[in-house]
Amino acid sequence: MRRLAALLALVATPAGAQTRCVTSAEAQAFASVAMPEIIRQTGRVCATALPAASLVRRANGPFLAKYDAEANRAWPIARTAIVKLSDPAIEMLVQSEYARPLITSLLVPQLVGRIAVGDCPTIDRLITLLEPLPPRNTAGIVVATLQYLKSEKANGRNVDVPDLPLCAEGR
């Protein structure tokens, strides 16, 4: 537990880092790394609302294998962005084989925990529509959507979107 607290303290953005941001490519890498576990956890949340053959309920197979492969490819970029957003002292910690599972285990429940079981059929439909796309494209769609929602919030619209440290385009 103490190690977890230490990691969280280092990941927390230092006061001087408030102006740091991640590029679209770095945000896309974050999304790619988290996506396989988001899909798996969503399948668990939606187990009572969707048939067993539903794509989102499949805990493994070719669909998730391609997301796992993309997550592996994207991890070095995401790891660099984590260091960029936090204290440089964290760099050695994120090199550990335990860093990625720890980070996803902290991030994914916060996202999946917002899913209402009534939304599961819509989520399943979206996953099914996105299934033919390469995982990189799906992560890009997620990031573009978040960027759009962030701009809508900045324009005064009542949008529930996390305050993500996304760099303005062209930066």
Side-chain angles (χ1 to χ4, degrees), residues 95-116:
Q95 297 297 330
S96 163
E97 66 184 83
Y98 302 107
R100 182 170 149 193
L102 177 61
I103 291 166
T104 56
S105 73
L106 295 172
L107 172 69
V108 171
Q110 292 180 25
L111 300 172
V112 176
R114 295 178 172 205
I115 296 174

Side-chain angles (χ1 to χ4, degrees), residues 99-167:
R100 182 170 149 193
L102 177 61
I103 291 166
T104 56
S105 73
L106 295 172
L107 172 69
V108 171
Q110 292 180 25
L111 300 172
V112 176
R114 295 178 172 205
I115 296 174
V117 175
D119 293 332
C120 290
T122 301
I123 292 168
D124 186 53
R125 175 81 174 127
L126 288 169
I127 294 293
T128 301
L129 289 169
L130 293 170
E131 191 266 337
L133 294 178
R136 184 181 293 178
N137 289 48
T138 302
I141 289 168
V142 168
V143 171
T145 301
L146 290 173
Q147 288 170 319
Y148 170 75
L149 292 172
K150 187 175 178 179
S151 72
E152 288 294 295
K153 185 176 183 176
N155 288 331
R157 295 187 178 76
N158 187 15
V159 178
D160 182 23
V161 63
D163 187 21
L164 303 168
L166 291 169
C167 300

Side-chain angles (χ1 to χ4, degrees), residues 29-106:
F30 278 132
S32 293
V33 167
M35 197 71 67
E37 195 57 27
I38 289 171
I39 295 167
R40 285 183 180 96
Q41 292 297 322
T42 300
R44 289 183 187 109
V45 168
C46 294
T48 60
L50 297 173
S54 165
L55 187 59
V56 77
R57 290 212 32 218
R58 296 181 196 157
N60 50 39
F63 173 67
L64 276 170
K66 70 180 183 177
Y67 278 86
D68 286 330
E70 181 62 20
N72 291 337
R73 188 205 60 77
W75 174 239
I77 298 166
R79 183 176 50 217
T80 300
I82 291 167
V83 172
K84 177 180 168 182
L85 289 175
S86 59
D87 191 303
I90 196 173
E91 187 167 6
M92 291 304 293
L93 283 172
V94 296
Q95 297 297 330
S96 163
E97 66 184 83
Y98 302 107
R100 182 170 149 193
L102 177 61
I103 291 166
T104 56
S105 73
L106 295 172

